[in-house]
């Protein structure tokens, strides 16, 4: 990240957190240059970027003023999760499938989608890397690149860890079919049917489905919408349930968008080390930060090989290529063996193509553009929600990723909103998808990974009307008829 | 398959089964032309092909004579498997991994390998198909090609079923990461931890590992080295154990090479239908037949959607690409959902590349070459075994695939042979890898998917000496010292 981008992100962060408020005047270019110790042109470029993102505006001969920000955003949610602390069998998979399958059509406005717009990724450059890689592919690589995987690709991944200050040896890295494969393999390496596993509340439905598939019990732990899992509650759960693993998303959690501060990550690892419980760390959104640097994973604080770090290129570089990895610490051999017996290995040409792309350079430039696009889209969607949703709507303010979490007025049933919206050609991800106990009945996850074009803006307006109507159950059914319903 | 190839295969089959013996004179070209109702040039081409394969030779003004065949082969094994009929938990995975990992180096002569030589496959043509496919890849295909998978590829697979006389609808086909993924997903779709599953004896170790991983019990059923699983024993096992599934390899079973006759396949499906037990049919070697046409899978006789047919392109076209599929009958939705939660989907560019290759044509031409190469290599290895192994060695005579199963003199311990041979740079796959009860202690699986070059011929000679020596335990240890041992 360039210096002016870093300065711009600092200021954007101050706006997001309300330190700078709507109408505030920014320091002059000269003042900021002196106080930040950067050149005036750096400040100028930062202000220009913020103006382009719709956060500030220049007034002639007067300076720059904040025109968006905390007051243009809905209030943040309460600490929404209060799971009961019991371990429960999971039975949510059918609900999740029914919802996901209903949202796959391109005709549906994809606020419920799990994926950002594929147009945000460098397919042409990837295609060139693939063409180069496949032309020089050695037939024997089909055997050599079997799990743990292509040696160059694993070295490139180890290098990226190093840039972020982590020492992960190439030998520890196992290439997988996306992060979901890595996470499942790590889980299978440490837990057997009937065991209990700690997850967040709300949690990524993929974790719930994995637990259900293997026959594991879920212990849901309260999770703060800004700072992630509650360590006090986690400590209690560790003592009470003796779980076999803890599966958490430390950076830009799906669905909340929460980001665990570094010190909290350190404390988390210390706590788990005390109980000798492995952490399965899902870090697929880590590269999509809007701040000035990549948040480190909890693995950075691990000295015992207890953290199984999982990530992928699916959200940051190459959707659909299905390439991820695990760096599972002391469980590396167990995870590699799980991989060998389930799918053997990742496609050799695809591994070679990504190794080629990463070696060529250009990934960081792409990531800057991607992060910028997502942060602009977040602002746009956030402001549209303010325009269209009723009072009483609350929203998280993630500083990365592409998901917002909405807490709607208490009477609103998110599953009803989902069904009604879908009949109008709009998808959302209703709260009960993210809970073993099917809680969060008045919450929605909103994907802002697609540009807010006219169709999407109109869809948000429709959603806002639906939410208003369902806030009063008597008018709820009538509300839908205002839209262009397919079913009626 | 062209007419002359089909004629050549018929004759080769007669040689393999001993109908035509060493020294026999073949009918003259004119006679054969009349009796077969083909043109003389077709007969001539067939004889030419058989000569190239080292099975017959022309003598000046005298005609063609058989120079290889049944008498140049070791005798066939007894019915080797007599499992006790109990259902047993499986604990063989560590042994399998230790053996497989020890054989991955390219410095080791690969008789223990699971893979044929990668040089037998059309990597250049595949690379061109990939280059074409990736250049026209639509970014949205990364979402559209999610499980069940790329529509063109699934259509191409449905077309191949049609050519073989099976009506499998495109909608039933689910693209997977190779056949092992398909098999695992099918198993997980129908069995839960603690359930019992019927497998062959000996059986593919991948099935054993899958059962062990999920916590299933194995019921091993006797399997005939030529004709596959014993239906009488299967019927008893179905009644006694009420298994949740039956996992069989009907065509060129790994490790035996057995081929279930069509009528037996029909009876198998009828038996399973009677008990309403799904068949997980592993058909990865079906395209590698040496006869005149592809043996149909048992799925051809299924009218109830009870057969979950699994195959891949890994052994027939594109090793390392990791593309396979399941056609799981009435379980299609359950299998697709297993796929979505474990690895989401198969890599989009790789799916597109294979669809492109198959649409272009050339697959059948490649398959003819591949089958020819494997059948030549089988003859060569079989004859080398006769030259180098002691009397009392028996071998199966597969009419497809690339594995032989050797039954060694009873006193020989295959695990000792494996360890000793490995110390001399030669891998083999010892019998206990293929049995939940670690039986087949005097058996080896030999891979003939690599050309029998000088190094391989010398390795077979060394193996033969080891087997001779270990037949007499007193001289066994000494025998190894004749070779170039690394460990001593």
């Amino acid at each position: 990240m360039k210096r002016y981008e870093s300065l711009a992100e600092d200021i954007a962060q101050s706006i997001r957190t309300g330190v700078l408020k709507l109408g505030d005047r920014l320091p002059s270019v000269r003042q900021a240059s002196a106080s930040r110790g950067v050149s005036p042109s750096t400040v100028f470029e930062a202000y220009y970027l913020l103006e382009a993102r719709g956060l500030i505006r220049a007034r002639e001969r007067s300076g720059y003023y904040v025109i968006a920000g905390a007051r243009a955003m809905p209030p943040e949610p309460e600490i929404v999760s209060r799971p009961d602390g019991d371990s429960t069998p999971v039975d949510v998979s059918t609900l999740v499938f029914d919802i996901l399958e209903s949202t796959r059509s391109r005709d549906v406005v994809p606020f419920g989608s799990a994926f950002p717009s594929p147009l945000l990724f460098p397919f042409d450059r990837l295609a060139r890397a693939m063409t180069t890689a496949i032309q020089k592919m050695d037939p024997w690589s089909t055997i050599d690149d079997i799990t743990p995987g292509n040696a160059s690709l694993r070295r490139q991944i180890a290098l990226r860890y190093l840039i972020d200050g982590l020492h992960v040896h190439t030998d520890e890295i196992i290439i997988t079919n996306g992060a979901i494969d890595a996470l499942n393999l790590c889980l299978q390496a440490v837990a057997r049917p009937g065991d209990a596993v700690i997850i967040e509340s709300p949690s990524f439905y993929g974790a719930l489905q994995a637990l259900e598939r293997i026959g594991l019990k879920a212990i849901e732990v309260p999770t703060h919408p800004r700072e992630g899992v509650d360590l006090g509650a986690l400590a209690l759960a560790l003592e009470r349930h003796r779980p076999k693993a803890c599966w958490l998303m430390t950076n830009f959690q799906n669905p909340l968008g929460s980001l665990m501060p570094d010190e909290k990550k350190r404390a988390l690892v210390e706590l788990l080390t005390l109980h000798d419980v492995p952490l399965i760390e899902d870090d697929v959104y880590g590269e999509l930060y809007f701040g000035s640097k990549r948040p480190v994973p909890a693995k950075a604080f691990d000295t015992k090989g207890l953290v199984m770090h999982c990530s992928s290129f699916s959200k940051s570089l190459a959707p659909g290529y299905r390439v991820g990895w695990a760096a599972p610490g002391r469980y590396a051999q167990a995870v590699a063996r799980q991989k060998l017996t389930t799918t053997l290995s990742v496609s050799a040409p695809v591994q070679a193509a990504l190794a080629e792309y990463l070696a060529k350079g250009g990934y960081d430039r792409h990531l800057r553009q991607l992060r910028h696009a997502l942060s602009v889209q977040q602002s746009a969607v956030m402001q549209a929600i303010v325009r269209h949703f009723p009072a009483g709507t609350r929203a998280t303010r993630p500083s990365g990723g592409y998901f917002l979490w909405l807490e709607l007025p208490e009477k609103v049933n998110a599953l009803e909103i989902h069904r009604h919206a879908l009949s109008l050609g709009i998808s959302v991800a209703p709260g009960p998808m993210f809970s073993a106990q099917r809680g969060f009945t008045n919450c929605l996850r909103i994907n802002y990974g697609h540009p807010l074009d006219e169709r999407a803006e109109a869809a948000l307006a429709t959603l806002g009307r639906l939410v208003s109507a369902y806030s009063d159950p008597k008018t709820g059914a009538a509300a839908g008829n205002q839209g262009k319903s397919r079913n009626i």
Side-chain angles (χ1 to χ4, degrees), chain A:
Chain A
M1 173 168 283
K2 301 221 172 106
R3 195 165 291 178
Y4 75 92
E5 291 173 315
S6 155
L7 175 57
E9 287 302 344
D10 280 357
I11 296 168
Q13 183 68 14
S14 300
I15 294 173
R16 269 194 293 272
T17 54
V19 173
L20 280 169
K21 295 187 195 332
L22 185 69
D24 279 358
R25 196 168 80 100
L26 294 183
S28 71
V29 170
R30 200 172 47 82
Q31 285 171 327
S33 162
S35 71
R36 298 274 183 162
V38 296
S39 72
S41 74
T42 298
V43 177
F44 194 78
E45 285 186 90
Y47 284 10
Y48 186 79
L49 182 61
L50 291 166
E51 199 169 6
R53 286 173 56 183
L55 297 176
I56 65 173
R57 185 175 297 158
R59 283 190 215 148
E60 197 126 359
R61 295 174 200 282
S62 167
Y64 287 88
Y65 291 82
V66 176
I67 59 164
R71 282 207 280 175
M73 299 178 188
E76 289 185 89
E78 308 283 299
I79 297 183
V80 282
S81 75
R82 294 180 196 85
D84 63 13
D86 286 342
S87 76
T88 45
V90 188
D91 175 24
V92 72
S93 213
T94 304
L95 171 69
V96 170
F97 281 125
D98 288 345
I99 293 170
L100 292 181
E101 283 165 14
S102 71
T103 64
R104 268 180 67 178
S105 161
R106 277 198 223 171
D107 296 334
V108 171
V109 184
F111 290 118
S113 169
F115 310 105
S117 167
L119 304 176
L120 295 170
F121 299 90
F123 283 98
D124 287 350
R125 279 172 184 277
L126 287 167
R128 283 203 289 280
M130 175 65 92
T131 301
T132 306
I134 198 133
Q135 274 160 7
K136 60 186 184 193
M137 186 170 141
D138 177 354
W140 290 97
S141 71
T142 57
I143 294 174
D144 295 343
D145 290 355
I146 286 176
T147 298
N150 179 296
S152 323
L153 179 58
R154 293 158 68 218
R155 208 160 39 238
Q156 289 292 338
I157 292 169
L159 271 174
R160 292 202 67 84
Y161 276 117
L162 203 60
I163 291 168
D164 296 327
L166 277 76
H167 295 272
V168 175
H169 196 281
T170 303
D171 288 348
E172 188 188 331
I173 296 167
I174 296 152
I175 307 298
T176 60
N177 293 82
I180 190 67
D181 185 25
L183 293 159
N184 273 299
L185 299 173
C186 287
L187 187 62
Q188 288 163 202
V190 297
R192 302 287 300 167
D195 288 343
V197 171
I198 288 177
I199 56 172
E200 290 143 335
S201 169
S203 73
F204 169 43
Y205 50 76
L208 297 171
Q209 290 179 308
L211 267 54
E212 183 171 339
R213 193 169 48 76
I214 308 177
L216 301 171
K217 279 181 268 190
I219 308 156
E220 296 182 285
V221 171
T223 302
H224 188 281
R226 267 198 196 168
E227 303 200 336
V229 75
D230 181 318
L231 292 188
L234 180 65
L236 283 176
L238 286 166
E239 268 160 37
R240 184 169 157 205
H241 297 287
R242 306 190 160 281
K244 283 291 160 51
C246 190
W247 172 331
L248 303 178
M249 207 177 261
T250 48
N251 296 326
F252 317 124
Q253 195 255 7
N254 175 2
L256 290 176
S258 59
L259 171 64
M260 204 180 261
D262 282 1
E263 276 317 302
K264 199 168 167 186
K265 285 173 181 153
R266 183 192 302 275
L268 166 70
V269 172
E270 281 168 8
L271 181 61
L272 292 176
T273 304
L274 197 68
H275 289 83
D276 201 37
V277 169
L279 172 62
I280 300 172
E281 184 175 28
D282 179 354
D283 191 21
V284 290
Y285 303 106
E287 295 284 5
L288 306 182
Y289 55 92
F290 305 155
S292 59
K293 69 190 225 0
R294 189 203 197 288
V296 294
K299 188 172 179 75
F301 305 103
D302 178 28
T303 55
K304 306 288 183 196
L306 210 56
V307 177
M308 309 165 89
H309 186 250
C310 300
S311 190
S312 83
F313 296 106
S314 302
K315 323 286 191 189
S316 56
L317 175 63
Y321 276 54
R322 307 303 306 137
V323 178
W325 69 91
R330 67 167 88 145
Y331 306 97
Q333 191 195 41
V335 171
R337 291 183 162 191
Q338 288 284 335
K339 178 72 185 156
L340 287 165
T341 59
T342 50
T343 56
L344 189 61
S345 65
V346 171
S347 184
V350 176
Q351 294 191 70
L354 285 184
E356 174 75 23
Y357 175 93
L358 293 171
K360 263 278 182 8
Y363 185 29
D364 286 304
R365 190 171 54 244
H366 154 70
L367 280 173
R368 278 195 299 274
Q369 293 167 349
L370 174 62
R371 290 192 287 257
H372 176 66
L374 293 177
S375 112
V376 169
Q377 287 168 199
Q378 188 197 71
S379 298
V381 167
M382 193 77 95
Q383 287 164 35
I385 286 170
V386 172
R387 280 196 293 281
H388 299 302
F389 277 58
T393 301
R394 293 166 178 274
T396 56
R397 296 171 194 181
S399 56
Y402 51 88
F403 293 126
L404 283 180
W405 181 249
L406 294 186
E407 192 185 316
L408 307 175
E410 214 164 308
K411 282 177 185 160
V412 178
N413 182 325
L415 286 171
E416 284 178 5
I417 296 283
H418 148 68
R419 281 188 288 265
H420 202 146
L422 193 65
S423 77
L424 303 171
I426 305 164
S427 74
V428 294
M433 288 175 79
F434 303 94
S435 155
Q437 302 173 10
R438 302 202 184 194
F440 306 104
T441 53
N442 64 326
C443 296
L444 298 178
R445 185 193 71 182
I446 296 289
N447 178 326
Y448 59 81
H450 298 253
L452 191 69
D453 55 16
E454 268 181 46
R455 182 178 80 140
E457 172 86 36
L460 274 182
T462 302
L463 280 177
R465 276 198 302 276
L466 284 183
V467 170
S468 297
Y470 278 96
S471 305
D472 178 356
K474 275 174 280 180
T475 65
N481 299 333
Q482 297 171 16
K484 302 156 294 177
S485 171
R486 293 172 174 182
N487 293 342
I488 305 174

